[in-house]
């Protein structure tokens, strides 16, 4: 985890979203970071310093004029030593003061002395966020190198809103912070296109053919690629999983829709990872209205859906990773899984195939773990042990980075 042993300064300004900063402070501390919380006077009205002290196990700084502890120049020390400054919530007032270069309290003085990374999570009323003054301040701070996460739409203190203003959730802020703290990887600046989940083919308006893919493997790949600095585009079939942090997500339903979306998106991809389990068959003649059960037996004629990987026109140099799903053990029934994966590599001009077995305990659909074999064009395949899908994703991305270099 990028947080272990890192020093994070969490600047908290006075908005109701302060309550989420407590969770953020806790999660950062649990992840191994040393967390120094700096409160503005207004933030101290919402959450007492004691709360953050208990959550981080460290003294909280709130005033330039505090004595004791040898921390008279704490704002300079923290500005220089912190690996990352996170501002959450950053109110409109804090943004205005920072953009103007004011230094009228400990937090703004720290920001003025700061030359390293700043991650800012704005939170305010939607009209305040939309105001040209705030827009100008955000632009100024972005030009100075600050990174922003959110704000998002959703409930504000004063009620529901369709406009951005609500602070991002702690998990989203953590993912953005992890990306900033991650060592610069070879995926930085690369566009990684990932597919995830099943697709669904209609028999009639209320019945579908699909499969039990949950989308977890693709989501883990999208999250891991984002943490490594990639621009991530995710094309996902029907799944209930919450959208992963950092990925630009496109939702599709059928295999043909997935194919159409990818045909456009692949043009800007440096890497394509087909972790989705698109439905391979669809009803040849779907009914426009619901078929009545009382009509008795139903025989369906199915036709194959398009082979997405086989049909995509990938740009030159776009690295392609496919999955091969088996049900007979790695070398089981129906022949050698590795040999068939090699055949897929060649037939679909892929760089890597990730072989897994849907029937193996802990692997395949609907479980948080997977056991895969990485098959390349040359060299022996690598059999990985049973790992979490996130760890499998990291190993696949290690291979991708190696192949890119
Ligand atoms: N795939 C695809 N288009 C489809 C079905 C699958 O591009 N209509 C992709 C999957 O996302 C996966 C790879 O192809 O990355 C292999 O999928 P798999 O179901 O194992 O094999 P198929 O290519 O469908 O071949 P077969 O069923 O003959 O093994």
């Amino acid at each position: 985890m990028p947080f272990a042993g890192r020093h994070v300064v969490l600047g908290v300004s006075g908005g109701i979203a302060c309550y989420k900063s407590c969770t953020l402070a806790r999660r950062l501390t649990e992840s191994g970071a040393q967390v120094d919380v700096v409160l503005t006077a207004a933030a101290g009205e919402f959450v007492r310093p004691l709360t953050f002290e208990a959550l981080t196990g460290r003294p909280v700084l709130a005033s330039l004029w505090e004595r004791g502890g040898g921390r008279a120049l704490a704002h300079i020390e923290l500005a220089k030593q912190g690996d990352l400054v996170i501002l959450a919530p950053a109110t409109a007032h804090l943004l205005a003061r920072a953009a103007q270069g004011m230094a009228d309290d400990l937090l703004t003085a720290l920001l003025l002395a700061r030359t390293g990374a700043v991650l800012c999570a704005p939170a305010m009323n939607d009209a305040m966020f939309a105001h040209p003054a705030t827009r100008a301040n955000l632009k100024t701070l972005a030009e100075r190198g600050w990174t922003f996460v959110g704000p998002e739409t959703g409930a504000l203190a004063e009620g529901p809103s369709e406009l951005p203003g609500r602070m991002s959730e702690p998990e989203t802020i953590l993912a953005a912070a992890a990306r900033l703290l991650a060592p610069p990887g070879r995926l930085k600046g690369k566009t990684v296109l990932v597919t995830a989940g099943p697709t669904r083919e209609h028999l009639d308006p209320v019945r579908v053919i699909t499969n039990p893919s949950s989308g977890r493997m693709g989501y883990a790949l999208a999250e891991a690629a984002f943490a490594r600095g990639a621009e991530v585009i995710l094309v996902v079939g029907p799944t209930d999983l919450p959208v992963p942090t950092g990925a630009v997500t496109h939702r599709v339903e059928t295999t043909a829709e997935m194919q159409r979306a990818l045909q456009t998106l692949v043009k800007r991809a440096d890497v394509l990872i087909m972790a989705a389990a698109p439905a391979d068959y669809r009803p040849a003649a779907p009914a426009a209205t619901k078929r009545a059960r009382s009509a008795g037996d139903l025989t369906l004629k199915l036709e194959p859906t398009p082979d997405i990987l086989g049909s995509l026109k990938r740009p030159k140099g776009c690295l392609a990773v496919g999955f091969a799903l088996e049900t007979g053990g790695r070398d089981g029934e129906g022949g050698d899984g590795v040999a068939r994966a090699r055949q897929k590599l060649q037939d679909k001009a892929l760089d890597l195939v990730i072989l897994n077995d849907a029937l193996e305990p802990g692997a395949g659909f609907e479980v948080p773990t997977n056991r895969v074999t990485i098959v390349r064009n040359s060299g022996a395949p690598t059999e990985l042990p049973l790992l979490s899908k996130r760890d499998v994703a990291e190993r696949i991305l290690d291979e991708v980075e190696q192949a890119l270099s």
Side-chain angles (χ1 to χ4, degrees), residues 88-103:
T91 58
H93 187 223
L94 178 70
L95 294 175
R97 290 189 297 145
Q100 289 301 311
M102 292 174 76

Side-chain angles (χ1 to χ4, degrees), residues 107-402:
L107 184 55
T108 48
L110 183 157
L111 291 172
L112 196 59
R114 175 79 180 165
T115 52
V118 177
L119 174 66
C120 179
M124 64 199 74
N125 166 270
D126 50 6
M128 291 165 82
F129 183 70
H131 195 283
T134 305
R135 312 302 305 171
N137 292 332
L138 289 165
K139 186 164 175 279
T140 301
L141 295 166
E143 282 165 4
R144 287 183 199 150
W146 283 24
T147 303
F148 289 89
V149 51
E152 295 170 19
T153 54
L156 297 171
E158 54 278 22
S161 169
E162 302 280 304
L163 298 169
R166 178 185 168 84
M167 187 172 89
S168 295
E169 293 304 314
E171 291 305 323
T172 308
I173 300 171
L174 273 175
R179 178 174 159 104
L180 285 174
L181 286 173
R186 293 191 194 102
L187 291 183
K188 205 175 172 89
K190 302 278 182 201
T191 300
V192 177
L193 176 57
V194 182
T195 65
T199 60
R200 174 154 98 174
E201 305 293 340
H202 278 267
L203 276 61
D204 66 24
V206 295
R207 300 190 183 97
V208 293
I209 293 182
T210 186
N211 61 63
S213 167
S214 63
R216 284 200 186 97
M217 192 62 243
Y219 274 39
L221 281 157
E223 282 171 354
F226 178 74
R228 289 178 185 225
E231 299 306 320
V232 182
I233 309 173
L234 181 68
V235 177
V236 58
T239 164
D240 290 335
L241 295 182
V243 170
T245 302
V248 177
T249 304
H250 299 258
R251 291 195 180 275
V252 295
E253 185 175 20
T254 65
T255 299
E257 280 172 28
M258 185 172 274
Q259 183 193 36
R260 271 198 298 279
L262 290 177
Q263 264 161 358
T264 310
L265 295 168
V266 79
K267 290 184 187 142
R268 44 194 171 104
D270 298 294
V271 180
L272 167 69
I273 308 181
M274 276 294 294
D280 279 320
Y281 291 97
R282 64 186 172 202
T289 52
K290 186 187 168 203
R291 290 176 204 261
R293 189 173 170 279
S294 53
D297 285 1
L298 170 64
T299 304
L300 281 177
K301 182 167 171 6
L302 301 179
E303 63 182 19
T305 56
D307 175 0
I308 302 176
L309 261 182
S311 66
L312 275 187
K313 285 190 188 59
R314 305 198 303 264
K316 212 163 167 265
C318 172
L319 197 121
V321 182
F323 275 70
L325 187 66
E326 299 276 329
T327 52
R330 290 187 205 211
D331 307 308
E333 238 178 84
D336 180 356
V338 172
R340 274 200 306 278
R342 282 233 161 82
Q343 194 62 46
K344 269 178 203 167
L345 267 174
Q346 280 180 8
D347 293 348
K348 303 186 184 190
L350 305 176
D351 297 276
L352 295 172
V353 165
I354 313 302
L355 173 64
N356 62 342
D357 194 302
L359 300 186
E360 229 180 274
F365 290 148
E366 292 183 306
V367 288
T369 52
N370 206 354
R371 198 159 94 93
V372 307
T373 302
I374 300 178
V375 184
R376 311 168 188 84
N377 274 302
S378 58
T382 307
E383 282 193 19
L384 297 182
L386 187 69
L387 295 170
S388 71
K389 284 188 172 165
R390 178 60 187 253
D391 286 340
V392 172
E394 299 290 355
R395 297 292 289 270
I396 294 171
L397 293 181
D398 287 346
E399 289 284 330
V400 166
E401 289 193 353
Q402 213 171 336

Side-chain angles (χ1 to χ4, degrees), residues 10 12 18 21-22 25 35-63 66:
L10 175 59
V12 182
C18 276
S21 312
C22 300
V35 183
D36 277 315
V37 174
V38 178
L39 294 181
T40 64
E45 296 293 327
F46 284 93
V47 183
R48 310 303 298 163
L50 184 65
T51 307
F52 285 108
E53 286 185 0
L55 292 170
T56 62
R58 312 246 327 144
V60 164
L61 294 123
S63 163
E66 255 165 58

